[in-house]
Amino acid sequence: MVRANIALNDESNSILNFVKSTKEFKDKSEVVNYIIMEYAEKILNHEEFKDEFIKSVLKNRQSKSSEYVDVSDEAKMKELLGL
């Protein structure tokens, strides 16, 4: 298991809390994993993303050593994902 510290804007935090309560998750980590798995298949199955996106994410993953990602900074998030 990987541990990560993330900073969320108020809207993202509210969405996580809503999903947590409606799906009866124990904590926000379960919510984040759920959301990622729900959308991963949709994102990775788009042909325009498939090869380029996967290569970009793997490249960025290898080059970024920080465990802290500020997801409220949309430009930084797109840079980390290679978009």
Side-chain angles (χ1 to χ4, degrees), residues 18-59:
F18 175 77
V19 174
K20 180 179 174 243
S21 65
T22 58
K23 297 289 186 178
E24 299 180 2
F25 289 117
K26 291 184 284 184
D27 56 40
K28 288 183 182 176
S29 293
E30 288 184 352
V31 178
V32 171
N33 286 320
Y34 170 79
I35 291 170
I36 290 170
M37 297 312 293
E38 280 292 307
Y39 290 96
E41 185 175 326
K42 293 176 185 177
I43 292 169
L44 296 177
N45 280 332
H46 288 287
E47 288 302 319
E48 66 268 18
F49 287 124
K50 209 166 198 170
D51 292 331
E52 184 178 330
F53 181 77
I54 292 170
K55 287 176 188 174
S56 174
V57 169
L58 292 175
K59 178 183 171 201

Side-chain angles (χ1 to χ4, degrees), residues 5-23:
N5 295 317
I6 60 172
L8 301 172
N9 61 31
D10 290 339
E11 184 178 10
S12 296
N13 189 51
S14 295
I15 292 168
L16 283 180
N17 285 328
F18 175 77
V19 174
K20 180 179 174 243
S21 65
T22 58
K23 297 289 186 178

